[in-house]
Amino acid sequence: MDWVQLWEIVSLPDNLPIVFMIILIPFFMWYGFRQAFANDRLIGRLEADPALAKTHHRKVEPFREGWDPKVHVWPYLLRIELLAAIIVTVILMVWSIVLDAPLEEPANPNLTMNPAKAPWYFLGLQEMLVYFDPWIAGVVMPTLILMGLMAIPYADKNPLGNGYYTFRQRKFAISAFCFGFLVLWILMILIGTFIRGPGWMWFWPGETWDHHKLVFETNRNLVEIFGITAQPLAGIVGGAAVGLYFAIAGAVCHKLITWNAFTIRIYSQMTLTQYLIYQFFMTTMLALPVKILLRLLFRIKYVMVTPWFNI
Amino acid sequence: MVQYIKKLFRKLDDAPIPEKDPIVHSSLGMPLAISAFLLILSLIWAVYMETAGLRPWRAYQEEFGQLYQNALKKIRPQRAAEAGAIRNSEGYLTLQEELQQAETDVQSQLSTVEGEEQNIRERLAVLTKPFADARSELQATIYRWETVKSESVGERLSHEVEALRAKSFSFQFLDGDSVTYTYEELENTFNGLKNRQGELQAEKVSLLRRPTEMRSEMNAYMNDRLTGLTETQIDGLINKTETMGVFIRQIHNEEMNLVDRCESCHMGAREPVDLSADQMDGRSLFASHPRRDLLAIHDPETFGCTPCHNGNGIGTVSPVRAHGKYKHWLRPLYDKGNFEAGCIQCHRLDRHLEGAHTFNAAKDAFQHRGCMGCHAYEGFDTEPAQMREVHKNLQDLNADRITTQIAVERLLEKGDGAETNEEAHLAYTEATRVTQSIATIDADLARLNVRLDELLMERKRPGPNLKEVRNKLTKEWIPKWISNPQAFRPNTKMPQFRLKKAEIEAISAFLWQSGVNEPVASQPMGDAVSGKGLFDSKGCLACHSVGEEEDRLGGDFAANLSRVGEKTNYDYLVRWIHNPKERSLPYDPVLKHDVTREDYETRGLPFQFDPENNQSPLGNHSLQVQNSTVMPNLRLTWEESRDIGTYLAALKKETAPLPAAPFLEDTKLFERGRFLTRHYGCAGCHEIAGLEDEGKIGTDLTVEGSKPLERLDFALLTHEAKHDGWYNHKGFFERKLKKPAIYDQGKIKRDLEKLRMPDFHLDDKDVDQLTTFLLGSVESIVPPQFHNTPSGQRQDVQTGWDLVKKYNCMGCHQFTPGQSKTVMAELPFYGGSLAEKLPPSLVGQGARTNPEWLKRFLKNPALNSASPHRNGVRPYLDVRMPTFALSDNEVGTLARFFQALSKQPTPYIPPELAPLTNRERSMARELFTSNAAPCLRCHATGDEHTDPEKIAPNLSLVKARLKPDWTQRWLVHPEIIRPGTAMPSGLFRREGDRWVFSLANFRSFKGYTKDEAELVVRYMFEYTPEEQRRLTRGR
């Protein structure tokens, strides 16, 4: 267990925000879910006792009679914000005094650093580059992420959960988002920061980053397993595999929103456009873990190979 | 604690709900107070860091001011004492009296002048402003008048001008005068006063001329005798320390992109007083820069600090950052032992710099150890590259020649087939012109061929010629030597290769079988006692040594001969001593093999090859007829060579016979041995049959110091290096030089992939010098116009040093006044000898000898091809100036070297000396044969019976050898030119403007009014052997 190596990575000024993130994200997740579960218990009690619903309608736990359901921004919110501002200022002051901005050696175009890592907000995409064709991982996916995020409000047919934390009433949305954000984004950032070392090779925490490490990882395309190498047959077979995936994934996604009576009631209100948008983005999002598993377990590089793009 | 955590994590709705809404009723007072307090603390911390924490130089500068003042106060008394002593000295007091006298002389005139000056000043004080105002008004009005377009306005303006001119001004002066002037009068008065003022100034200057001169004489007197500052200057410095501000001190040179702030902390570096760390309370930070002479040559305002010392010039935050000793600064400060590494990047073209001891030692170490056998380095071992270039030029020229010839033929054809006479004429003239250009090409070809021959002579290899092993060595010794050279000869140049037994056998077999088969003539035994005497006296020990460890005697330039008897064949040894350059077979560099006896005999040519007969029987090109060794020929007779050989052949340590080595004759090992020999790069240092043109197997080290750290292969030691702090160039080089295979440690490599660099068993001093050398071998950050590019004579000096170091001239001769004693002078055989019995000092050689003579001498020091077994200039010496077999180019380089060292004008044109009159001749003869100046008692005369006792050169050589102006200087003051010489001084004294013989009054000298020393010089330049015999006849 190379503690020095571990410390080197963790204490690198560039990585400090990521370390903070490791602490802050679980904290806020817990904070939010605690409130959500309390509210869910309240919802349960309200549903069980319709009489209570008349007076306790849309309250949030904890709540007591006589308490104002709403409070003024000034002073109550702002004084908390003042405290937060002071604390953030203190943290920033201490941080800037203790850690210098990294002014490294003069740029040498003949000597690239190893590993050459993207900034943290792109580490997820850089990780995707391991599994996907650069066109897909660098252009198509980021575009779809942005488009998808923009499309969510228009495709979201669930009217519940506005203004209060709840998990029960938005199970699907919250789970889908947590998967997409925590697993496919944050986890990738953590991997990119702490796990990926020289040569973008996998180094477990505490393993020394050795530039001379050699691994055996030869990958092959899906169609090569079946012995097909010539275009356009390879493209067609690959396309068929991709189509097969989308068919299966589409069915799975459909099942997700027809899981129980509650979800059916909500999502049966979707228009066709909304449904198609949902299907498209959800299946594409699920493609990521599927491709990652294919690569890690079966050493498959590309499923579909064409002269113009590979998937 | 557990309860608290449980409370934190219990469900929200399980917690008891408080009466009042916590959002509205909770007081944030405590958290706000704490965070506000923390904010204030962090603010204070930030301000502290900004003002002091990140600016340690502030504290340093204040400390310096205090310490400097204390040190100055301590120094002041002794400076005052010294300055006072000078002021009270006779000379100074005399000057002071003269000054006072001069001042009193001019006093009255001076006061008159000054009085008038004062008067004028007072008047001008009153007049100036009104006049200036009036003048500007007038001039402005005139301007308007000149530039106005309309006539009427012009009229009006002209009247205005007139009015202004006529305007009257009244003034009241301090001395009571009151006057009224019109403008015109005022102008005249003003100008007149101004002119008079100028005149008075000039008068004052001329009056004060003598006192000013006296003052500067007094200052000069003081400065010449002062060893430091005066107490007034010290007081000035003390004042400076009081008002010394605290600010960044930086040196900014835009051309070099240089910003050096080193002096912000190293405040004492350039102070006029020499400050040691002790004087500054133990703070070496404030000590002065040592070697002020270096600062005088390399003005810090131009060069700053970092070009020489490396480091981060712009850093001021902390010593670590300023010295660049952190990960991201690529040029950290050189450590104490490697200071002079910074010299190398600008002084690439210099081989020897006066005063740069580590620089010289580093370059010497690289050359002495033979590193250039494997590693290319610009400036070392340049002959092979030059040969390739010459070959290429020859090829190009030959191709040119052929094309030109074809062109000529075509032109002639064209002329023959021309239609008109004019065309034919044109073609023929063109053909003639082109034909003549062939002559130019031929001349170039001849010149290049000469150069090629020279290069074949000039190229020397660090190791001996291995083609001779069959004649030279005891064959069983070869594998013993290869496996561990240091065991046999501790200080040998040959390194130890990490070879397996099978590899050693294969290589030995290959070398043995590839040796030439031409036997060496057998020699009878000689007398070992006489041989030892010769060995000790002839000068062998200037390069070679005998004895081991504490008993070691002699130089370390060449091999230690303590055990040479165990390895060498007597016959070969004798031939070698007789002429080291002689080889058994010549080498044909074009056909690339040794030429055998048969090759000569089948073509009916005599089997003879030497520098005069170097044509190959196999083609129209030159052969390499000499061994590429620097060992010179001592011009010994065969008998002497046999004696020395017998003596040396008896030098053994182990007399037990070496283990048999039957594998040496095994032909199956030949191929493998050849492969391995090539693989390990043996041909880089040795001449080996079939491998003469092999390249160097090592990396080019010319800019090794600039190699990115990531490209230095620390291999499995990388993490240890980073952890222990030696992950930098210095750490890499030091460890590699100490043990080259260190970075192969732990690696699993096939034999042929392993590092080939052998172990040199260097001691720490060598490692330091070579590390300094490599650290300084960088791509310079200093722009090329600041590099030292010696030209003209300074370049001659450096190319000369290349040769001097190559042939180890300094083993016998002193070249510069600062050089420590030569190896020869330290030998016990010569201990206590007169300097005249040793090889002469060459300080001032260029001023002394005629360079044309010097070239002849260097080509053949015997100065006599008939009887070569002697010293040409000093036949009375036991020690022998050997024949170095220098090429004409090398001889010319050395002649120019000496000329340049003595700053002599080139080319040297011997001045015409007035011929002697008869009277002068008899005067000179009387002097020479007198008892007052018995010149021929010490100077050799060519008589074999008396010459061995003489201690000075034969005067017959003077005409060809010396320069007349030097000769005269030698005659009158030999003790200045060569302190400690046996040549008597005081032979002449100065009388007016001529030299006069001072030891006797010769009758024939009465009435002679010209310079007598010059007379003697002229006589000596007409001196002939007949004249010499005439002088000695009486004796």
Side-chain angles (χ1 to χ4, degrees):
Chain A
M1 188 68 181
D2 189 347
W3 295 108
V4 176
Q5 177 71 70
L6 202 55
W7 174 248
E8 249 184 60
I9 302 171
V10 162
S11 67
L12 194 65
D14 289 357
N15 290 347
L16 217 52
I18 314 297
V19 174
F20 288 164
M21 195 168 72
I22 296 179
I23 301 167
L24 289 173
I25 286 191
F27 169 72
F28 283 113
M29 269 192 63
W30 165 76
Y31 201 57
F33 271 104
R34 185 170 75 143
Q35 183 68 65
F37 289 143
N39 290 344
D40 284 345
R41 284 190 288 281
L42 173 62
I43 292 169
R45 284 203 297 281
L46 290 178
E47 283 176 353
D49 184 358
L52 217 52
K54 287 200 170 43
T55 50
H56 279 71
H57 177 61
R58 295 188 83 166
K59 299 283 193 290
V60 166
E61 288 282 73
F63 187 77
R64 195 188 259 274
E65 282 297 334
W67 285 7
D68 233 330
K70 300 187 194 129
V71 296
H72 289 286
V73 164
W74 169 268
Y76 302 110
L77 178 60
L78 283 179
R79 68 180 185 176
I80 295 177
E81 284 185 345
L82 171 68
L83 184 61
I86 293 175
I87 292 175
V88 168
T89 308
V90 172
I91 292 176
L92 278 177
M93 291 275 263
V94 171
W95 188 338
S96 64
I97 294 172
V98 171
L99 292 173
D100 290 328
L103 181 63
E104 302 184 351
E105 56 258 32
N108 184 353
N110 298 321
L111 204 66
T112 34
M113 20 181 316
N114 186 5
K117 287 191 181 173
W120 64 271
Y121 39 87
F122 283 143
L123 276 173
L125 298 176
Q126 193 170 12
E127 184 67 24
M128 285 301 114
L129 277 174
V130 176
Y131 309 107
F132 288 93
D133 177 52
W135 168 251
I136 304 290
V139 180
V140 174
M141 292 232 162
T143 315
L144 291 181
I145 291 172
L146 289 172
M147 280 173 49
L149 286 173
M150 286 194 282
I152 287 178
Y154 298 98
D156 182 15
K157 250 325 193 173
N158 187 347
L160 301 167
N162 291 324
Y164 58 96
Y165 285 90
T166 173
F167 182 65
R168 250 175 74 148
Q169 292 178 340
R170 286 190 72 84
K171 269 208 196 107
F172 172 69
I174 291 177
S175 309
F177 179 79
C178 281
F179 177 69
F181 181 63
L182 294 174
V183 177
L184 295 182
W185 189 250
I186 298 293
L187 185 62
M188 295 297 131
I189 289 176
L190 294 178
I191 291 176
T193 309
F194 297 109
I195 309 292
R196 290 294 185 186
W200 209 253
M201 288 185 282
W202 191 275
F203 288 92
W204 293 104
E207 205 181 321
T208 313
W209 281 14
D210 187 355
H211 287 71
H212 301 294
K213 176 170 169 174
L214 297 167
V215 290
F216 175 67
E217 260 178 19
T218 53
N219 303 310
R220 57 264 163 91
N221 296 331
L222 181 65
V223 287
E224 281 172 22
I225 296 178
F226 303 119
I228 309 167
T229 46
Q231 294 285 351
L233 185 60
I236 294 170
V237 171
V242 171
L244 180 64
Y245 160 76
F246 274 110
I248 298 176
V252 168
C253 291
H254 187 85
K255 184 66 185 151
L256 280 176
I257 55 171
T258 54
W259 193 261
N260 51 29
F262 178 72
T263 59
I264 291 175
R265 211 172 64 193
I266 293 181
Y267 293 108
S268 60
Q269 307 282 333
M270 270 183 165
T271 64
L272 182 62
T273 323
Q274 285 173 323
Y275 179 73
L276 289 174
I277 288 173
Y278 159 70
Q279 276 287 10
F280 174 63
F281 284 111
M282 197 65 186
T283 50
T284 312
M285 189 167 85
L286 287 176
L288 266 70
V290 167
K291 188 79 194 329
I292 291 173
L293 284 173
L294 275 181
R295 160 75 196 280
L296 292 175
L297 296 176
F298 304 109
R299 292 187 289 122
I300 290 177
K301 191 164 161 189
Y302 293 133
V303 171
M304 173 175 171
V305 180
T306 68
W308 310 284
F309 63 91
N310 308 313
I311 296 180
Chain B
M1 192 66 199
V2 179
Q3 290 289 352
Y4 182 73
I5 293 178
K6 275 210 175 134
K7 245 206 302 193
L8 218 51
F9 281 97
R10 76 186 149 194
K11 297 191 181 145
L12 278 177
D13 39 354
D14 283 351
I17 302 176
E19 269 294 325
K20 299 195 175 202
D21 186 354
I23 291 176
V24 174
H25 291 280
S26 67
S27 159
L28 286 181
M30 186 53 98
L32 271 173
I34 294 175
S35 38
F37 177 67
L38 287 176
L39 185 62
I40 291 172
L41 278 185
S42 60
L43 272 170
I44 294 173
W45 187 14
V47 169
Y48 165 75
M49 287 302 275
E50 270 303 300
T51 54
L54 292 174
R55 288 168 170 72
W57 47 269
R58 290 178 175 273
Y60 292 148
Q61 288 191 9
E62 281 165 14
E63 193 187 345
F64 175 76
Q66 195 52 50
L67 291 177
Y68 191 34
Q69 198 178 80
N70 293 346
L72 285 172
K73 285 186 178 147
K74 280 214 189 79
I75 295 173
R76 197 182 181 289
Q78 55 187 123
R79 304 303 325 142
E82 185 181 338
I86 295 176
R87 278 194 211 103
N88 289 331
S89 68
E90 265 195 58
Y92 194 84
L93 289 173
T94 323
L95 288 173
Q96 201 166 37
E97 277 176 30
E98 288 184 32
L99 172 69
Q100 284 165 349
Q101 183 64 38
E103 282 182 336
T104 25
D105 285 344
V106 296
Q107 195 49 44
S108 54
Q109 288 168 284
L110 196 64
S111 38
T112 327
V113 167
E114 282 179 344
E116 200 183 331
E117 263 190 335
Q118 178 68 9
N119 193 354
I120 292 181
R121 263 203 299 280
E122 287 168 4
R123 286 181 176 253
L124 281 176
V126 177
L127 293 177
T128 308
K129 186 156 192 335
F131 169 66
D133 289 345
R135 183 174 56 185
S136 29
E137 195 182 347
L138 176 65
Q139 284 174 340
T141 316
I142 291 178
Y143 173 77
R144 280 164 48 216
W145 182 24
E146 284 171 350
T147 55
V148 81
K149 301 252 179 4
S150 93
E151 285 238 12
S152 57
V153 179
E155 273 285 317
R156 178 171 57 84
L157 285 173
S158 74
H159 291 310
E160 259 186 62
V161 168
E162 274 175 41
L164 280 173
R165 285 228 172 90
K167 192 164 166 194
S168 75
F169 302 84
S170 354
F171 300 102
Q172 177 88 24
F173 294 121
L174 281 172
D175 53 10
D177 279 1
S178 69
V179 287
T180 308
Y181 294 129
T182 62
Y183 176 79
E184 307 266 359
E185 288 168 348
L186 178 59
E187 192 177 25
N188 293 334
T189 315
F190 183 84
N191 289 334
L193 284 175
K194 280 278 183 194
N195 289 339
R196 184 68 189 137
Q197 203 177 35
E199 283 171 13
L200 287 174
Q201 286 277 52
E203 220 182 296
K204 201 156 116 174
V205 165
S206 78
L207 276 178
L208 285 176
R209 185 159 33 95
R210 181 87 185 119
T212 320
E213 270 176 26
M214 290 314 304
R215 248 184 248 285
S216 50
E217 256 192 67
M218 282 166 69
N219 277 339
Y221 186 91
M222 183 70 118
N223 287 337
D224 284 342
R225 281 155 188 77
L226 272 180
T227 56
L229 303 174
T230 62
E231 76 276 19
T232 336
Q233 288 168 319
I234 301 260
D235 283 335
L237 285 175
I238 293 178
N239 280 339
K240 186 176 87 163
T241 61
E242 313 245 295
T243 55
M244 213 180 238
V246 172
F247 54 90
I248 292 271
R249 284 155 166 85
Q250 81 176 16
I251 296 171
H252 182 199
N253 183 342
E254 271 191 57
E255 276 180 58
M256 260 210 260
N257 215 10
L258 179 84
V259 178
D260 275 350
R261 300 185 180 136
C262 317
E263 282 182 320
S264 307
C265 294
H266 289 274
M267 294 283 288
R270 284 195 284 163
E271 287 296 322
V273 177
D274 271 325
L275 299 166
S276 71
D278 290 332
Q279 280 174 290
M280 301 300 273
D281 207 25
R283 301 278 274 142
S284 55
L285 170 66
F286 299 131
S288 310
H289 191 280
R291 304 291 307 274
R292 278 182 198 270
D293 54 327
L294 286 179
L295 289 188
I297 302 171
H298 307 86
D299 181 18
E301 289 300 322
T302 310
F303 289 93
C305 316
T306 49
C308 300
H309 289 286
N310 272 0
N312 182 357
I314 43 177
T316 51
V317 166
S318 67
V320 167
R321 288 210 99 84
H323 295 173
K325 298 247 171 137
Y326 59 99
K327 182 176 160 199
H328 295 299
W329 192 259
L330 301 177
R331 289 183 301 275
L333 192 71
Y334 287 129
D335 284 336
K336 256 209 162 63
N338 308 121
F339 271 156
E340 289 176 32
C343 309
I344 293 176
Q345 62 181 316
C346 295
H347 286 276
R348 281 242 183 241
L349 300 172
D350 290 311
R351 180 64 180 83
H352 181 96
L353 290 174
E354 284 304 310
H357 310 289
T358 318
F359 174 86
N360 294 335
K363 290 212 171 187
D364 288 345
F366 187 81
Q367 182 161 13
H368 178 66
R369 283 278 157 197
C371 306
M372 61 276 196
C374 290
H375 293 283
Y377 195 100
E378 193 188 335
F380 289 88
D381 195 26
T382 53
E383 289 86 6
Q386 288 183 49
M387 280 202 272
R388 280 194 292 273
E389 173 128 10
V390 167
H391 271 302
K392 184 174 157 309
N393 289 343
L394 278 171
Q395 274 179 335
D396 290 343
L397 276 177
N398 275 319
D400 273 347
R401 195 176 195 283
I402 293 172
T403 27
T404 316
Q405 277 177 319
I406 295 174
V408 168
E409 280 168 28
R410 278 222 195 89
L411 282 168
L412 289 174
E413 277 174 31
K414 189 166 149 215
D416 290 340
E419 312 230 321
T420 65
N421 275 344
E422 282 81 32
E423 270 182 48
H425 181 68
L426 277 172
Y428 290 140
T429 33
E430 184 67 16
T432 318
R433 190 186 65 78
V434 176
T435 310
Q436 283 169 334
S437 74
I438 297 184
T440 325
I441 296 178
D442 279 342
D444 277 338
L445 279 171
R447 183 179 55 83
L448 284 174
N449 276 314
V450 165
R451 184 73 192 124
L452 198 58
D453 284 352
E454 283 184 343
L455 283 169
L456 277 172
M457 275 179 82
E458 290 173 16
R459 180 188 184 176
K460 308 291 181 202
R461 291 179 163 92
N465 183 352
L466 294 182
K467 292 178 182 171
E468 302 276 5
V469 290
R470 294 187 98 101
N471 291 328
K472 175 176 172 181
L473 298 175
T474 314
K475 67 193 230 200
E476 292 81 12
W477 177 86
I478 298 176
K480 172 174 167 171
W481 171 253
I482 294 179
S483 71
N484 190 350
Q486 275 74 22
F488 184 81
R489 190 180 274 170
N491 290 29
T492 179
K493 228 189 247 191
M494 162 101 176
Q496 183 182 20
F497 289 80
R498 294 171 297 281
L499 298 170
K500 298 206 182 57
K501 189 153 167 298
E503 289 177 311
I504 295 175
E505 289 181 2
I507 293 175
S508 314
F510 164 70
L511 290 174
W512 180 255
Q513 291 166 35
S514 71
V516 299
N517 271 315
E518 180 67 26
V520 71
S522 99
Q523 301 283 345
M525 298 297 282
D527 176 7
V529 174
S530 145
K532 180 173 196 314
L534 286 166
F535 183 81
D536 285 341
S537 66
K538 277 276 170 274
C540 311
L541 288 169
C543 294
H544 287 281
S545 53
V546 283
E548 299 195 324
E549 286 173 40
E550 297 87 34
D551 301 325
R552 208 168 76 95
L553 204 63
D556 59 4
F557 181 76
N560 178 307
L561 300 174
S562 310
R563 295 174 68 171
V564 70
E566 288 176 50
K567 68 174 250 208
T568 321
N569 175 4
Y570 172 75
D571 302 322
Y572 182 88
L573 189 58
V574 172
R575 189 185 80 178
W576 174 267
I577 295 170
H578 183 252
N579 181 5
K581 303 277 197 299
E582 193 179 328
R583 45 193 293 153
S584 303
L585 291 179
Y587 171 66
D588 189 326
V590 170
L591 297 173
K592 301 201 194 304
H593 65 86
D594 298 304
V595 183
T596 60
R597 186 185 281 269
E598 284 163 68
D599 289 326
Y600 278 90
E601 285 169 356
T602 48
R603 284 168 183 75
L605 293 164
F607 183 58
Q608 184 193 16
F609 51 93
D610 49 57
E612 279 81 46
N613 303 302
N614 64 352
Q615 279 297 98
S616 172
L618 304 170
N620 187 14
H621 46 261
S622 305
L623 296 172
Q624 182 186 348
V625 295
Q626 293 185 326
N627 281 327
S628 358
T629 176
V630 294
M631 167 145 174
N633 183 344
L634 280 114
R635 300 190 304 281
L636 300 166
T637 60
W638 279 108
E639 195 187 323
E640 290 172 324
S641 311
R642 284 181 208 126
D643 288 343
I644 297 178
T646 313
Y647 162 64
L648 289 175
L651 291 180
K652 296 182 185 184
K653 193 166 133 180
E654 281 172 26
T655 45
L658 292 160
F663 51 82
L664 289 172
E665 307 288 353
D666 187 351
T667 50
K668 290 200 286 294
L669 291 174
F670 185 87
E671 269 312 310
R672 175 102 185 114
R674 185 173 194 280
F675 171 79
L676 286 170
T677 307
R678 236 175 130 230
H679 177 74
Y680 284 103
C682 308
C685 291
H686 294 281
E687 195 182 335
I688 300 174
L691 302 177
E692 293 88 353
D693 285 330
E694 288 291 303
K696 300 181 195 243
I697 63 165
T699 54
D700 186 325
L701 297 177
T702 312
V703 288
E704 188 71 0
S706 281
K707 211 170 193 176
L709 191 55
E710 294 77 7
R711 297 237 176 97
L712 289 177
D713 190 10
F714 285 79
L716 294 172
L717 295 178
T718 312
H719 293 283
E720 185 190 315
K722 286 186 183 168
H723 192 264
D724 293 339
W726 52 272
Y727 186 67
N728 50 35
H729 287 80
K730 178 176 155 111
F732 184 82
F733 293 145
E734 277 180 343
R735 280 162 184 75
K736 184 150 188 133
L737 286 167
K738 258 255 173 282
K739 185 176 163 209
I742 189 175
Y743 302 113
D744 268 356
Q745 225 173 57
K747 293 222 85 131
I748 298 175
K749 279 185 175 175
R750 291 206 321 251
D751 281 348
L752 288 178
E753 284 175 0
K754 288 197 183 143
L755 179 77
R756 295 176 273 178
M757 171 163 172
D759 295 323
F760 284 81
H761 298 282
L762 298 171
D763 57 18
D764 288 335
K765 187 167 71 76
D766 272 333
V767 168
D768 265 336
Q769 284 168 356
L770 287 171
T771 305
T772 306
F773 184 67
L774 290 172
L775 285 175
S777 305
V778 295
E779 280 176 31
S780 179
I781 51 168
V782 172
Q785 65 260 35
F786 292 96
H787 292 189
N788 188 40
T789 42
S791 59
Q793 284 206 322
R794 290 177 60 197
Q795 189 177 27
D796 287 339
V797 170
Q798 294 305 327
T799 40
W801 276 117
D802 276 331
L803 282 177
V804 168
K805 303 270 179 176
K806 181 174 170 186
Y807 290 103
N808 194 32
C809 308
M810 289 160 102
C812 291
H813 292 287
Q814 183 194 23
F815 279 75
T816 56
Q819 188 182 329
S820 53
K821 275 194 152 173
T822 62
V823 177
M824 277 313 296
E826 301 271 350
L827 291 175
F829 184 85
Y830 284 104
S833 290
L834 275 181
E836 278 70 19
K837 281 297 193 185
L838 283 168
S841 161
L842 299 180
V843 177
Q845 179 74 9
R848 172 167 61 169
T849 52
N850 182 334
E852 292 308 312
W853 176 88
L854 187 62
K855 287 190 208 172
R856 285 202 298 278
F857 176 76
L858 288 170
K859 259 297 199 212
N860 179 10
L863 291 178
N864 182 336
S865 44
S867 101
H869 311 292
R870 70 206 215 4
N871 292 318
V873 177
R874 294 176 172 78
Y876 46 83
L877 290 180
D878 287 321
V879 68
R880 171 75 51 90
M881 164 82 178
T883 307
F884 279 86
L886 301 168
S887 70
D888 288 337
N889 176 45
E890 290 182 317
V891 162
T893 307
L894 283 173
R896 283 194 301 278
F897 169 66
F898 286 115
Q899 292 285 93
L901 272 181
S902 301
K903 299 196 174 44
Q904 297 289 306
T906 48
Y908 173 68
I909 300 166
E912 287 231 19
L913 296 170
L916 287 172
T917 62
N918 283 333
R919 181 193 169 189
E920 287 175 334
R921 191 167 298 112
S922 41
M923 283 167 67
R925 281 177 185 156
E926 185 175 354
L927 188 148
F928 258 71
T929 51
S930 70
N931 278 330
C935 310
L936 297 179
R937 205 186 287 169
C938 296
H939 281 274
T941 52
D943 181 349
E944 280 163 16
H945 301 292
T946 53
D947 266 357
E949 308 308 317
K950 296 293 171 72
I951 56 170
N954 192 327
L955 293 170
S956 317
L957 288 167
V958 167
K959 178 175 177 173
R961 176 171 172 248
L962 297 179
K963 293 185 175 175
D965 59 327
W966 182 89
T967 316
Q968 179 157 342
R969 278 185 284 130
W970 175 254
L971 276 178
V972 300
H973 276 307
E975 75 284 1
I976 293 180
I977 294 177
R978 190 79 66 229
T981 179
M983 168 83 176
S985 51
L987 287 171
F988 293 87
R989 67 164 190 281
R990 198 92 180 134
E991 235 182 47
D993 60 350
R994 66 180 191 128
W995 290 99
V996 158
F997 191 70
S998 62
L999 294 184
N1001 285 320
F1002 295 116
R1003 211 155 26 97
S1004 57
F1005 278 52
K1006 263 206 190 37
Y1008 187 70
T1009 50
K1010 294 208 274 199
D1011 194 314
E1012 291 174 11
E1014 199 190 315
L1015 166 72
V1016 175
V1017 171
R1018 277 190 290 135
Y1019 175 67
M1020 286 206 288
F1021 272 78
E1022 283 188 16
Y1023 203 78
T1024 56
E1026 288 81 37
E1027 183 70 23
Q1028 178 134 278
R1029 274 197 290 279
R1030 196 199 158 99
L1031 289 174
T1032 55
R1033 237 194 325 242
R1035 305 190 159 266

